[in-house]
Amino acid sequence: MKSIKKAELALATFCAAAFLTITSCSKNKANTLYLYNWTYYTPEKVVEKFEAEFNCTVKLDSYATCEEMYSKLRAGAKGYDIVIPSNDFVSIMIKQGMLRPLDKSKLTNSEKINPRVLQMATHDPEMKYSVPYALSATGIMVNKTKAPTSDYSRDYDIFADKRFAGHATMMDDMREVFGDALLFLGFDANSLKDSDLDAAMNLVKEEWKPNLVKFDAEGFGKSFASGDFWLCQGYPEIVYGEVDESRWEETIDFFIPKEGGMASLDCMCILKDAPHYDLANEFINFIHRPENYALFIDQFRYPCVVNPAALEYVTTKPMYDPEQALNCTLKADLGDGIDKYSERWQEVRFGN
């Protein structure tokens, strides 16, 4: 769904892009807000409403991963006002002084944020630097039209089921895969204990990997929709986005096991050198007006977990039950401890 090591290696790649950003943003007008967000993650109708109400223009730049965003900013890119990293990167960016504290006086809708979400947000529980945007959970999807059996296990042991061999995939993401293995074994999903991590590695390598076609973080949605993959671990929005909505019920069995799963909490933050600080605070607050946040939910079909007050205005059915997402564990910033995961992931991916 994001290692700092990759981000550091990518710094040089983004130097040219950073220079272009600095150059182009030097001509910013006072009534232009520069938003740096994930690809396909900005609610168009909300942006249009904001522009009309505040007589401004919102300029959008996008990234595919937090590593990409982080690398570009560390390389010196300037001019952005708002960025939307996942919680582990929010923690990193706070520690590195990359974010500016929010103006609480303008965040009148912060009271709409679900207290249960804030309990999970240990990286910034008082919303000093960040306001939750969306909770994105990872789960398991079974293609009911292709599954060789209807009595499959609805927990992580399903990846050891030989009946799915050759038609199963897990994400090419060590935190997601090891996190689920740790949860299945009864350990902390963010554990740094060597014994826990060794047990998780052995489970993945010896029992799950033999059934997998591959580790895949991007193309599994299309392969699921085509019928090639019968069993996937991954972000549900990728699969639901590839299957026609009229066939969701008959095709997709999505579940997060009782042990829980891994999740990311994407948060709106204002960069330390944001040129339009006041307008950025207004935008964050505007997103969380319930009627506006409902437009975000309607467009992307996420469960309405972060801002329950918006449920009054939501007109679509979410991809999955909000309670499943709230039973997940956020990926924590592990600092140098991430190396323990990387070493074992190399053994899983390339070992015998």
Side-chain angles (χ1 to χ4, degrees), residues 243-261:
V243 176
D244 189 274
E245 185 173 351
S246 64
R247 298 182 60 244
W248 282 4
E249 187 69 28
E250 69 181 76
T251 305
I252 306 170
D253 179 13
F254 172 81
F255 58 92
I256 296 174
K258 63 181 184 300
E259 299 91 347

Side-chain angles (χ1 to χ4, degrees), residues 152-203:
Y152 48 81
S153 172
R154 292 177 64 82
D155 60 25
Y156 294 111
D157 197 46
I158 192 173
F159 289 101
D161 191 333
K162 296 299 182 184
R163 293 173 295 183
F164 288 94
H167 295 280
T169 181
M170 299 188 78
M171 296 187 72
D172 192 5
D173 186 313
M174 63 186 181
R175 295 297 304 280
E176 297 284 357
V177 175
F178 284 157
D180 286 352
L182 288 165
L183 288 168
F184 180 66
L185 293 169
F187 302 136
D188 178 358
N190 293 301
S191 178
L192 289 175
K193 293 181 180 179
D194 289 328
S195 58
D196 294 355
L197 292 172
D198 286 341
M201 177 186 69
N202 291 333
L203 173 64

Side-chain angles (χ1 to χ4, degrees), residues 34 36 69 73-74 77-85 90 92-102 128-130 268-278 280-281 284:
Y34 284 80
Y36 196 23
M69 171 275 298
L73 296 176
R74 292 293 289 174
K78 304 290 183 182
Y80 296 118
D81 295 299
I82 296 174
V83 67
I84 304 182
V90 174
I92 292 166
M93 295 171 78
I94 290 173
K95 292 175 183 177
Q96 295 183 350
M98 298 174 67
L99 304 178
R100 184 172 174 179
L102 303 172
K128 182 178 180 180
Y129 293 95
S130 62
M268 295 181 285
C269 305
I270 299 178
L271 291 165
K272 184 177 182 179
D273 55 0
H276 310 105
Y277 177 72
D278 290 339
N281 278 285
I284 292 173

Side-chain angles (χ1 to χ4, degrees), residues 6-18:
K6 289 183 180 179
E8 291 173 346
L9 291 172
L11 283 176
T13 305
F14 289 103
C15 283

Side-chain angles (χ1 to χ4, degrees), residues 29-34 46-59 81 276 278-280 282-283 286:
K29 295 181 179 180
N31 65 338
T32 301
L33 181 73
Y34 284 80
V46 177
V47 169
E48 292 170 359
K49 286 183 64 177
F50 182 78
E51 289 177 325
E53 181 170 330
F54 287 85
N55 190 29
C56 68
T57 299
V58 176
K59 296 291 187 181
D81 295 299
H276 310 105
D278 290 339
L279 194 58
E282 295 286 5
F283 183 84
F286 189 83

Side-chain angles (χ1 to χ4, degrees), residues 60-82:
L60 175 65
D61 197 1
S62 61
Y63 49 88
T65 67
C66 275
E67 289 90 351
E68 178 184 336
M69 171 275 298
Y70 175 83
S71 297
K72 186 171 180 179
L73 296 176
R74 292 293 289 174
K78 304 290 183 182
Y80 296 118
D81 295 299
I82 296 174

